[in-house]
Amino acid sequence: MSIEKVRDFFKKKGIENRIQEFDVSSATVELAAQALNCDGARIAKTLSFHAGDKVILIVAAGDTKIDNAKYKAQFGTKAKMLAFDEVEPLTGHGVGGVCPFGVNEGVDVYLDKSLQRFETVFPACGSSNSAIELTNAELEKYSGSLGWIDVCK
């Protein structure tokens, strides 16, 4: 189970007790915002893409959309999201719980600047009913991201 993978990941960091699990789904930005009783923009959604022969994850604010021109300028290719049945085998997490923690080897993680307007954000933790509250510095540290990019509208 993917949440166990994330729990083990955070256990090594000493913060597994900060993972929140809900009795309701948090699989979408709207559902996560309801479960957390927060503004949907603070949900750090993780989007999965093919970028040439690489799989990349982009963590962005819940109220944003990918800007195709910015994406192409950043990655040199058109934005092509992973198909539903590719997500779990390629990233290590299922749809609704994709997060930048404990991902498969070779998956590159980027953080979109849209998150920087918040003091803390809420990414998922590998399941469709979990989240963790992190500062942007913590998100950057724990995600192992390759950096902050600007690819959202």
Side-chain angles (χ1 to χ4, degrees):
M1 196 168 176
S2 198
I3 189 164
E4 294 309 321
K5 189 175 173 183
V6 175
R7 192 180 314 285
D8 289 345
F9 174 84
F10 280 132
K11 191 172 196 166
K12 293 174 186 149
K13 316 290 185 205
I15 63 166
E16 75 279 4
N17 62 334
R18 290 174 53 189
I19 295 173
Q20 299 177 55
E21 288 188 81
F22 314 109
D23 293 332
V24 295
S25 176
S26 59
T28 66
V29 168
E30 294 77 19
L31 291 172
Q34 287 173 11
L36 288 156
N37 195 28
C38 74
D39 181 3
R42 289 183 58 211
I43 303 302
K45 63 184 177 183
T46 304
L47 305 169
S48 51
F49 295 91
H50 288 287
D53 60 352
K54 299 239 12 129
V55 172
I56 64 169
L57 299 178
I58 299 173
V59 186
D63 63 347
T64 63
K65 293 188 185 299
I66 294 294
D67 181 306
N68 289 319
K70 288 180 178 180
Y71 182 98
K72 188 166 187 177
Q74 178 72 42
F75 296 107
T77 187
K78 185 178 175 186
K80 183 178 187 288
M81 291 192 80
L82 300 185
F84 183 91
D85 61 343
E86 294 178 308
V87 174
E88 189 163 7
L90 293 178
T91 70
H93 301 300
V95 173
V98 177
C99 64
F101 319 112
V103 297
N104 288 348
E105 194 78 26
V107 175
D108 290 343
V109 176
Y110 297 90
L111 306 177
D112 188 78
K113 290 182 177 185
S114 60
L115 294 166
Q116 292 179 331
R117 61 194 147 131
F118 305 109
E119 214 168 289
T120 62
V121 294
F122 296 93
C125 287
S127 71
S128 61
N129 67 328
S130 64
I132 189 168
E133 185 173 12
L134 298 173
T135 65
N136 283 311
E138 288 174 321
L139 178 62
E140 185 173 14
K141 175 182 171 183
Y142 297 131
S143 69
S145 86
L146 297 177
W148 292 92
I149 60 174
D150 181 13
V151 294
C152 289
K153 296 178 186 179

